[in-house]
Amino acid sequence: MCLKKGQFELEKGKAKEALSKCNVPVFFIHGDKDIIVPLSMAKENYDACKSKKFLYIADANHAVSIYQNSVDITKKFEEFMAK
């Protein structure tokens, strides 16, 4: 899907490098119980990001943060975008 839609290969992606050049706001969401992608990776990406940013750490496993915390995440996102 990455190659088809975004014209890039996921395996060759360098998130920290891209985020260091980012100039648009980034709202990071990560579950603190994620055992597939460690929270430390989200923190590394957050630190690398040079634009306006916010890191929401949810009480959730991998890829379910938005489902388990939708009301709070929506509120935080709206506050982030209002700034």
Side-chain angles (χ1 to χ4, degrees):
M1 185 61 77
C2 294
L3 190 57
K4 185 176 180 179
K5 295 284 187 180
Q7 287 79 49
F8 70 94
E9 294 179 49
L10 187 60
E11 297 80 18
K12 294 182 181 178
K14 297 178 182 175
K16 288 186 278 188
E17 181 181 322
L19 288 164
S20 73
K21 300 172 187 173
C22 186
N23 61 6
V24 296
V26 179
F27 189 86
F28 295 87
I29 303 171
H30 202 95
D32 64 354
K33 293 180 176 66
D34 191 337
I35 59 171
I36 297 170
V37 178
L39 179 57
S40 62
M41 292 177 79
K43 290 179 178 178
E44 288 175 13
N45 286 331
Y46 177 86
D47 290 341
C49 185
K50 299 304 178 202
S51 65
K52 182 179 173 185
K53 59 192 174 184
F54 182 81
L55 173 59
Y56 184 95
I57 301 173
D59 178 26
N61 292 313
H62 183 74
V64 295
S65 297
I66 191 66
Y67 303 112
Q68 295 177 341
N69 302 274
S70 62
V71 172
D72 195 40
I73 289 173
T74 300
K75 179 183 174 205
K76 295 291 185 190
F77 180 75
E78 289 171 350
E79 291 171 1
F80 174 71
M81 292 307 293
K83 294 180 185 177

Coordinates of all heavy atoms in Angstrom, one line a residue:
M1 N 0.8 -1.2 0.0 CA 0.0 0.0 0.0 C 0.9 1.3 0.0 O 0.6 2.2 -0.7 CB -0.9 0.0 1.2 CG -1.9 1.1 1.2 SD -3.0 1.2 -0.2 CE -4.2 -0.1 0.3
C2 N 2.0 1.2 0.8 CA 2.9 2.4 0.8 C 3.4 2.7 -0.6 O 3.4 3.9 -1.0 CB 4.0 2.2 1.8 SG 3.5 2.1 3.5
L3 N 3.8 1.7 -1.3 CA 4.4 1.9 -2.6 C 3.3 2.3 -3.6 O 3.6 3.3 -4.4 CB 5.1 0.6 -3.1 CG 5.9 0.6 -4.4 CD1 7.0 1.7 -4.2 CD2 6.5 -0.7 -4.7
K4 N 2.2 1.7 -3.5 CA 1.1 2.1 -4.4 C 0.6 3.5 -4.2 O 0.4 4.3 -5.2 CB 0.0 1.1 -4.3 CG -1.1 1.3 -5.3 CD -2.2 0.2 -5.2 CE -3.3 0.4 -6.2 NZ -4.3 -0.7 -6.1
K5 N 0.3 3.8 -3.0 CA -0.3 5.1 -2.7 C 0.7 6.2 -2.4 O 0.4 7.4 -2.8 CB -1.3 5.0 -1.4 CG -2.4 4.1 -1.6 CD -3.5 4.8 -2.4 CE -4.7 3.9 -2.5 NZ -5.8 4.5 -3.2
G6 N 1.8 5.9 -1.8 CA 2.7 7.0 -1.4 C 4.0 7.0 -2.2 O 4.9 7.8 -1.9
Q7 N 4.2 6.0 -3.0 CA 5.4 5.9 -3.9 C 6.7 5.8 -3.0 O 7.7 6.4 -3.3 CB 5.5 7.1 -4.8 CG 4.6 7.0 -6.0 CD 3.2 7.5 -5.6 OE1 3.0 8.6 -5.0 NE2 2.2 6.8 -6.0
F8 N 6.6 5.0 -1.9 CA 7.8 4.7 -1.1 C 7.7 3.3 -0.6 O 6.6 2.8 -0.5 CB 8.0 5.8 0.0 CG 7.0 5.7 1.1 CD1 7.2 4.9 2.2 CD2 5.7 6.3 1.0 CE1 6.3 4.8 3.3 CE2 4.8 6.2 2.0 CZ 5.1 5.5 3.2
E9 N 8.9 2.8 -0.2 CA 8.9 1.5 0.4 C 9.0 1.6 1.9 O 9.9 2.3 2.4 CB 10.1 0.7 -0.2 CG 10.0 0.3 -1.6 CD 11.2 -0.4 -2.2 OE1 11.6 -1.4 -1.5 OE2 11.7 0.0 -3.2
L10 N 8.1 1.0 2.6 CA 8.1 1.1 4.1 C 9.4 0.8 4.7 O 9.9 1.4 5.6 CB 7.0 0.3 4.6 CG 6.7 0.4 6.1 CD1 6.3 1.9 6.5 CD2 5.6 -0.5 6.6
E11 N 10.1 -0.3 4.2 CA 11.4 -0.7 4.7 C 12.5 0.3 4.6 O 13.4 0.3 5.3 CB 11.8 -2.0 4.1 CG 10.9 -3.2 4.3 CD 9.6 -3.2 3.4 OE1 9.6 -2.5 2.3 OE2 8.6 -3.8 3.7
K12 N 12.3 1.2 3.7 CA 13.4 2.2 3.4 C 13.0 3.5 4.1 O 13.8 4.5 4.0 CB 13.6 2.4 1.9 CG 14.1 1.2 1.2 CD 14.3 1.5 -0.2 CE 14.9 0.2 -0.9 NZ 15.1 0.4 -2.4
G13 N 11.9 3.6 4.8 CA 11.5 4.8 5.5 C 12.4 5.2 6.6 O 12.9 4.3 7.3
K14 N 12.6 6.4 6.8 CA 13.5 6.9 7.9 C 12.6 8.0 8.7 O 12.8 9.2 8.3 CB 14.8 7.5 7.4 CG 15.6 6.4 6.7 CD 16.9 7.0 6.2 CE 17.7 5.9 5.5 NZ 18.9 6.4 4.8
A15 N 11.8 7.6 9.6 CA 10.9 8.5 10.3 C 11.6 9.6 11.0 O 11.2 10.8 10.8 CB 10.1 7.7 11.3
K16 N 12.6 9.3 11.7 CA 13.3 10.4 12.5 C 13.9 11.4 11.5 O 13.8 12.6 11.8 CB 14.4 9.8 13.4 CG 13.7 9.1 14.6 CD 14.8 8.7 15.6 CE 15.4 7.4 15.1 NZ 16.3 6.8 16.1
E17 N 14.5 11.0 10.4 CA 15.0 11.9 9.4 C 13.9 12.8 8.8 O 14.1 14.0 8.7 CB 15.7 11.1 8.3 CG 16.4 12.0 7.3 CD 17.0 11.2 6.2 OE1 17.7 10.2 6.5 OE2 16.9 11.6 5.0
A18 N 12.8 12.2 8.5 CA 11.7 12.9 7.9 C 11.1 13.9 8.9 O 10.8 15.1 8.6 CB 10.6 12.0 7.4
L19 N 11.0 13.5 10.2 CA 10.4 14.3 11.2 C 11.3 15.5 11.5 O 10.9 16.6 11.9 CB 10.1 13.5 12.4 CG 8.9 12.6 12.3 CD1 8.8 11.6 13.4 CD2 7.6 13.4 12.3
S20 N 12.6 15.3 11.3 CA 13.6 16.4 11.6 C 13.4 17.5 10.6 O 13.9 18.6 10.8 CB 15.0 15.9 11.6 OG 15.5 15.6 10.3
K21 N 12.8 17.3 9.5 CA 12.6 18.3 8.4 C 11.1 18.7 8.4 O 10.7 19.5 7.5 CB 13.0 17.7 7.1 CG 14.4 17.3 7.0 CD 14.7 16.6 5.8 CE 16.2 16.0 5.8 NZ 16.4 15.2 4.6
C22 N 10.3 18.2 9.3 CA 8.8 18.4 9.2 C 8.5 19.9 9.6 O 9.1 20.4 10.5 CB 8.2 17.5 10.2 SG 6.4 17.5 10.2
N23 N 7.5 20.4 8.9 CA 7.1 21.8 9.2 C 5.6 21.9 9.3 O 5.1 23.0 9.2 CB 7.6 22.8 8.1 CG 7.1 22.5 6.7 OD1 6.3 21.6 6.5 ND2 7.6 23.2 5.7
V24 N 4.9 20.8 9.5 CA 3.5 20.8 9.8 C 3.3 20.2 11.2 O 4.1 19.4 11.7 CB 2.7 20.0 8.7 CG1 2.8 20.6 7.4 CG2 3.2 18.5 8.7
P25 N 2.2 20.6 11.8 CA 1.9 20.0 13.2 C 1.7 18.5 13.1 O 1.2 18.0 12.2 CB 0.6 20.7 13.6 CG 0.5 21.9 12.7 CD 1.2 21.6 11.4
V26 N 2.2 17.8 14.2 CA 2.1 16.4 14.3 C 1.6 16.0 15.6 O 2.1 16.4 16.7 CB 3.5 15.7 14.1 CG1 3.4 14.2 14.2 CG2 4.2 16.1 12.8
F27 N 0.5 15.2 15.6 CA -0.2 14.7 16.8 C 0.1 13.2 16.9 O -0.4 12.4 16.2 CB -1.7 15.0 16.7 CG -2.4 14.7 18.0 CD1 -2.6 15.7 18.9 CD2 -3.0 13.5 18.2 CE1 -3.3 15.4 20.1 CE2 -3.8 13.2 19.3 CZ -3.9 14.2 20.3
F28 N 1.1 12.9 17.8 CA 1.5 11.5 18.0 C 0.5 10.8 19.0 O 0.1 11.4 20.0 CB 2.9 11.4 18.6 CG 4.0 11.9 17.7 CD1 4.3 13.3 17.7 CD2 4.7 11.1 16.9 CE1 5.3 13.8 16.9 CE2 5.7 11.5 16.1 CZ 6.0 12.9 16.1
I29 N 0.1 9.6 18.7 CA -0.7 8.8 19.6 C 0.0 7.4 19.7 O 0.4 6.8 18.7 CB -2.1 8.5 19.0 CG1 -2.8 9.8 18.8 CG2 -2.9 7.7 20.0 CD1 -4.1 9.7 18.0
H30 N 0.2 7.0 21.0 CA 0.9 5.7 21.2 C 0.4 5.1 22.5 O 0.1 5.7 23.5 CB 2.4 5.9 21.3 CG 3.2 4.6 21.0 ND1 3.7 4.4 19.8 CD2 3.5 3.6 21.8 CE1 4.3 3.2 19.8 NE2 4.1 2.7 21.0
G31 N 0.2 3.8 22.4 CA -0.3 3.0 23.6 C 0.9 2.6 24.5 O 1.9 2.1 24.0
D32 N 0.7 2.8 25.8 CA 1.8 2.5 26.7 C 2.0 0.9 26.9 O 3.0 0.5 27.5 CB 1.7 3.2 28.0 CG 0.4 2.8 28.8 OD1 -0.4 2.1 28.3 OD2 0.3 3.3 29.9
K33 N 1.0 0.2 26.5 CA 1.1 -1.3 26.6 C 1.4 -2.0 25.3 O 1.3 -3.2 25.2 CB -0.2 -1.8 27.1 CG -0.5 -1.4 28.6 CD -1.9 -1.9 29.0 CE -2.1 -1.6 30.5 NZ -2.3 -0.2 30.8
D34 N 1.8 -1.2 24.3 CA 2.2 -1.7 23.0 C 3.5 -2.5 23.1 O 4.5 -2.0 23.5 CB 2.4 -0.5 22.0 CG 2.5 -0.9 20.6 OD1 2.9 -2.1 20.3 OD2 2.2 -0.1 19.7
I35 N 3.4 -3.8 22.7 CA 4.6 -4.7 22.7 C 5.1 -4.9 21.3 O 6.1 -5.6 21.1 CB 4.3 -6.0 23.4 CG1 3.2 -6.8 22.8 CG2 4.0 -5.8 24.9 CD1 3.0 -8.2 23.2
I36 N 4.4 -4.4 20.3 CA 4.8 -4.5 18.9 C 5.8 -3.4 18.6 O 6.8 -3.6 18.0 CB 3.6 -4.6 18.0 CG1 2.8 -5.9 18.3 CG2 4.1 -4.6 16.5 CD1 1.5 -6.0 17.6
V37 N 5.3 -2.2 18.9 CA 6.1 -1.0 18.7 C 6.3 -0.3 20.0 O 5.4 0.2 20.6 CB 5.4 0.0 17.7 CG1 6.3 1.3 17.5 CG2 5.2 -0.6 16.4
P38 N 7.5 -0.4 20.6 CA 7.7 0.2 22.0 C 7.5 1.7 22.1 O 7.7 2.4 21.1 CB 9.2 -0.1 22.2 CG 9.7 -1.1 21.2 CD 8.7 -0.9 20.0
L39 N 7.0 2.1 23.2 CA 6.8 3.5 23.5 C 8.0 4.3 23.3 O 8.0 5.5 22.8 CB 6.2 3.7 24.9 CG 5.9 5.1 25.4 CD1 4.9 5.8 24.4 CD2 5.4 5.1 26.8
S40 N 9.2 3.7 23.5 CA 10.4 4.5 23.3 C 10.6 4.9 21.9 O 11.2 6.0 21.6 CB 11.6 3.6 23.7 OG 11.7 2.4 22.9
M41 N 10.1 4.2 20.9 CA 10.2 4.6 19.5 C 9.3 5.8 19.3 O 9.7 6.7 18.5 CB 9.8 3.5 18.6 CG 10.8 2.3 18.6 SD 10.2 0.9 17.6 CE 10.7 1.5 16.0
A42 N 8.1 5.9 19.9 CA 7.3 7.1 19.7 C 8.0 8.3 20.3 O 8.0 9.4 19.7 CB 5.9 6.9 20.4
K43 N 8.6 8.1 21.5 CA 9.3 9.2 22.1 C 10.5 9.7 21.2 O 10.8 10.9 21.2 CB 9.8 8.8 23.5 CG 8.6 8.7 24.5 CD 9.1 8.2 25.8 CE 7.9 8.2 26.8 NZ 8.2 7.7 28.1
E44 N 11.2 8.7 20.6 CA 12.3 9.1 19.7 C 11.8 9.9 18.5 O 12.4 10.9 18.1 CB 13.0 7.8 19.2 CG 13.9 7.1 20.2 CD 14.5 5.8 19.7 OE1 14.4 5.6 18.5 OE2 15.0 5.1 20.6
N45 N 10.7 9.5 18.0 CA 10.1 10.2 16.8 C 9.6 11.6 17.3 O 9.8 12.6 16.6 CB 9.0 9.4 16.2 CG 9.5 8.3 15.4 OD1 10.6 8.3 14.8 ND2 8.7 7.2 15.3
Y46 N 9.0 11.7 18.4 CA 8.6 12.9 19.0 C 9.8 13.9 19.2 O 9.7 15.0 18.8 CB 7.9 12.7 20.3 CG 7.4 14.0 21.0 CD1 6.2 14.5 20.7 CD2 8.2 14.6 22.0 CE1 5.8 15.7 21.3 CE2 7.8 15.7 22.6 CZ 6.6 16.3 22.2 OH 6.1 17.5 22.9
D47 N 10.8 13.4 19.8 CA 12.0 14.2 20.0 C 12.6 14.7 18.7 O 13.2 15.8 18.6 CB 13.0 13.5 20.8 CG 12.6 13.3 22.3 OD1 11.7 14.0 22.7 OD2 13.2 12.4 22.9
A48 N 12.6 13.9 17.7 CA 13.2 14.2 16.4 C 12.3 15.2 15.6 O 12.9 16.0 14.8 CB 13.3 13.0 15.5
C49 N 11.1 15.3 15.9 CA 10.1 16.2 15.2 C 10.4 17.7 15.6 O 10.5 18.0 16.7 CB 8.7 15.9 15.6 SG 7.5 16.8 14.7
K50 N 10.6 18.5 14.5 CA 11.0 19.9 14.7 C 9.8 20.8 14.6 O 10.0 22.0 14.8 CB 12.1 20.3 13.8 CG 13.4 19.5 13.9 CD 13.9 19.6 15.3 CE 15.2 18.8 15.5 NZ 15.4 18.4 16.9
S51 N 8.7 20.3 14.3 CA 7.5 21.2 14.2 C 6.7 21.2 15.5 O 7.1 20.5 16.4 CB 6.6 20.7 13.0 OG 6.1 19.4 13.3
K52 N 5.6 21.9 15.4 CA 4.7 21.9 16.6 C 4.2 20.4 16.7 O 3.9 19.8 15.8 CB 3.5 22.8 16.2 CG 2.5 22.9 17.3 CD 1.4 23.9 16.9 CE 0.3 23.9 17.9 NZ -0.9 24.7 17.5
K53 N 4.2 20.0 18.0 CA 3.9 18.5 18.2 C 3.2 18.3 19.6 O 3.3 19.1 20.5 CB 5.2 17.8 18.1 CG 6.2 18.2 19.1 CD 7.6 17.6 18.9 CE 8.6 18.2 19.8 NZ 10.0 17.8 19.5
F54 N 2.6 17.1 19.7 CA 2.0 16.7 20.9 C 2.0 15.2 20.9 O 1.8 14.5 19.9 CB 0.5 17.2 21.0 CG -0.1 16.8 22.3 CD1 0.1 17.5 23.5 CD2 -0.9 15.7 22.4 CE1 -0.5 17.2 24.7 CE2 -1.5 15.3 23.6 CZ -1.3 16.1 24.7
L55 N 2.4 14.6 22.1 CA 2.4 13.2 22.2 C 1.3 12.7 23.2 O 1.4 13.1 24.4 CB 3.8 12.7 22.7 CG 3.9 11.2 23.0 CD1 3.6 10.3 21.9 CD2 5.4 10.9 23.5
Y56 N 0.4 12.0 22.7 CA -0.7 11.4 23.6 C -0.3 10.0 23.9 O -0.2 9.2 22.9 CB -2.0 11.5 22.9 CG -3.2 11.0 23.8 CD1 -3.9 11.9 24.5 CD2 -3.5 9.7 23.9 CE1 -4.9 11.5 25.3 CE2 -4.5 9.2 24.7 CZ -5.2 10.2 25.4 OH -6.2 9.7 26.3
I57 N -0.1 9.7 25.1 CA 0.2 8.3 25.5 C -1.0 7.7 26.1 O -1.5 8.2 27.2 CB 1.4 8.3 26.5 CG1 2.6 8.9 25.9 CG2 1.6 6.8 27.0 CD1 3.8 9.1 26.8
A58 N -1.6 6.7 25.5 CA -2.8 6.1 25.9 C -2.6 4.9 26.7 O -1.5 4.2 26.6 CB -3.6 5.7 24.6
D59 N -3.5 4.5 27.5 CA -3.5 3.3 28.2 C -4.1 2.2 27.3 O -5.3 1.9 27.3 CB -4.4 3.4 29.5 CG -4.5 2.1 30.3 OD1 -3.6 1.3 30.2 OD2 -5.5 2.0 31.0
A60 N -3.2 1.7 26.4 CA -3.7 0.8 25.4 C -2.6 0.0 24.8 O -1.4 0.3 24.9 CB -4.4 1.6 24.3
N61 N -3.0 -1.1 24.1 CA -2.1 -2.0 23.3 C -1.9 -1.4 22.0 O -2.4 -0.3 21.6 CB -2.7 -3.4 23.3 CG -2.7 -4.1 24.6 OD1 -1.7 -4.1 25.3 ND2 -3.8 -4.7 25.0
H62 N -1.2 -2.2 21.1 CA -0.9 -1.7 19.7 C -2.2 -1.5 18.9 O -3.1 -2.3 18.8 CB -0.1 -2.8 19.1 CG 0.4 -2.4 17.7 ND1 1.4 -1.5 17.5 CD2 0.0 -2.8 16.5 CE1 1.6 -1.4 16.2 NE2 0.7 -2.2 15.6
A63 N -2.2 -0.3 18.3 CA -3.2 0.1 17.3 C -4.7 0.1 17.8 O -5.6 0.0 17.0 CB -3.2 -0.9 16.1
V64 N -4.9 0.3 19.1 CA -6.2 0.4 19.6 C -6.4 1.6 20.5 O -7.5 1.8 21.0 CB -6.6 -0.9 20.4 CG1 -6.7 -2.1 19.6 CG2 -5.7 -1.1 21.6
S65 N -5.5 2.5 20.6 CA -5.5 3.7 21.4 C -6.8 4.5 21.1 O -7.5 5.0 22.0 CB -4.3 4.6 21.2 OG -3.2 3.9 21.7
I66 N -7.0 4.8 19.8 CA -8.1 5.6 19.4 C -9.5 5.0 19.7 O -10.4 5.7 20.1 CB -8.1 6.0 17.9 CG1 -9.1 7.1 17.5 CG2 -8.3 4.8 17.0 CD1 -8.8 8.4 18.2
Y67 N -9.6 3.7 19.7 CA -10.8 3.0 20.1 C -11.1 3.0 21.6 O -12.2 3.2 22.0 CB -10.8 1.6 19.5 CG -10.6 1.5 18.1 CD1 -9.4 1.0 17.6 CD2 -11.5 2.0 17.2 CE1 -9.2 0.9 16.2 CE2 -11.3 1.9 15.8 CZ -10.1 1.4 15.3 OH -9.9 1.3 14.0
Q68 N -10.0 2.9 22.3 CA -10.2 2.8 23.8 C -10.2 4.2 24.5 O -10.6 4.3 25.6 CB -9.1 2.0 24.4 CG -9.2 0.5 24.0 CD -8.1 -0.4 24.5 OE1 -7.1 0.1 24.9 NE2 -8.3 -1.7 24.5
N69 N -9.8 5.2 23.7 CA -9.6 6.6 24.3 C -10.1 7.7 23.4 O -9.7 8.8 23.4 CB -8.1 6.8 24.6 CG -7.5 5.8 25.5 OD1 -7.6 5.9 26.7 ND2 -6.9 4.8 24.9
S70 N -11.1 7.3 22.6 CA -11.6 8.3 21.6 C -12.0 9.6 22.1 O -11.7 10.7 21.5 CB -12.6 7.6 20.7 OG -13.8 7.4 21.5
V71 N -12.7 9.7 23.2 CA -13.3 10.9 23.7 C -12.1 11.8 24.1 O -12.0 13.0 23.7 CB -14.3 10.7 24.9 CG1 -14.6 12.0 25.5 CG2 -15.5 10.0 24.3
D72 N -11.2 11.3 24.9 CA -10.0 12.1 25.4 C -9.1 12.5 24.3 O -8.6 13.6 24.2 CB -9.3 11.3 26.5 CG -8.3 12.2 27.3 OD1 -8.7 13.4 27.6 OD2 -7.2 11.8 27.6
I73 N -8.8 11.5 23.3 CA -8.0 11.9 22.2 C -8.6 12.9 21.4 O -7.9 13.9 20.9 CB -7.6 10.6 21.4 CG1 -6.7 9.7 22.2 CG2 -7.0 11.0 20.1 CD1 -6.5 8.3 21.5
T74 N -9.8 12.9 21.1 CA -10.5 13.9 20.3 C -10.4 15.2 21.0 O -10.1 16.3 20.3 CB -12.0 13.5 20.1 OG1 -12.0 12.3 19.4 CG2 -12.7 14.6 19.3
K75 N -10.6 15.3 22.3 CA -10.5 16.6 23.0 C -9.1 17.1 22.9 O -8.9 18.3 22.6 CB -10.9 16.3 24.5 CG -10.8 17.5 25.3 CD -11.1 17.2 26.8 CE -10.8 18.5 27.6 NZ -10.5 18.1 29.0
K76 N -8.1 16.3 23.2 CA -6.7 16.7 23.1 C -6.3 17.2 21.7 O -5.6 18.2 21.5 CB -5.8 15.6 23.6 CG -5.9 15.2 25.0 CD -5.5 16.4 25.9 CE -5.5 15.9 27.4 NZ -5.3 17.0 28.3
F77 N -6.8 16.5 20.7 CA -6.5 16.8 19.3 C -7.1 18.2 19.0 O -6.5 19.0 18.4 CB -7.0 15.8 18.3 CG -6.8 16.1 16.9 CD1 -5.5 16.0 16.4 CD2 -7.8 16.5 16.1 CE1 -5.2 16.3 15.1 CE2 -7.5 16.9 14.8 CZ -6.2 16.7 14.3
E78 N -8.4 18.4 19.4 CA -9.0 19.7 19.1 C -8.3 20.8 19.8 O -8.1 21.9 19.2 CB -10.5 19.6 19.6 CG -11.3 18.8 18.6 CD -12.8 18.5 19.2 OE1 -13.1 18.9 20.3 OE2 -13.6 18.0 18.4
E79 N -7.8 20.6 21.1 CA -7.0 21.6 21.8 C -5.7 21.9 21.0 O -5.3 23.0 20.9 CB -6.7 21.1 23.2 CG -7.9 21.1 24.1 CD -7.6 20.4 25.4 OE1 -6.5 20.0 25.7 OE2 -8.6 20.3 26.2
F80 N -5.1 20.8 20.6 CA -3.8 21.0 19.8 C -4.0 21.8 18.5 O -3.3 22.7 18.2 CB -3.3 19.6 19.5 CG -2.1 19.5 18.6 CD1 -0.8 19.9 19.1 CD2 -2.2 19.0 17.3 CE1 0.3 19.9 18.3 CE2 -1.0 19.0 16.5 CZ 0.2 19.4 17.0
M81 N -5.1 21.5 17.8 CA -5.3 22.2 16.5 C -5.8 23.6 16.8 O -5.5 24.5 15.9 CB -6.4 21.4 15.7 CG -5.9 20.1 15.2 SD -4.3 20.1 14.3 CE -4.8 21.0 12.9
A82 N -6.4 23.9 17.9 CA -6.8 25.3 18.2 C -5.6 26.2 18.5 O -5.7 27.4 18.2 CB -7.7 25.3 19.4
K83 N -4.5 25.6 18.9 CA -3.3 26.4 19.2 C -2.7 26.8 17.9 O -2.0 27.3 17.4 CB -2.3 25.7 20.0 CG -2.8 25.4 21.4 CD -1.8 24.6 22.2 CE -2.4 24.3 23.6 NZ -1.5 23.5 24.4

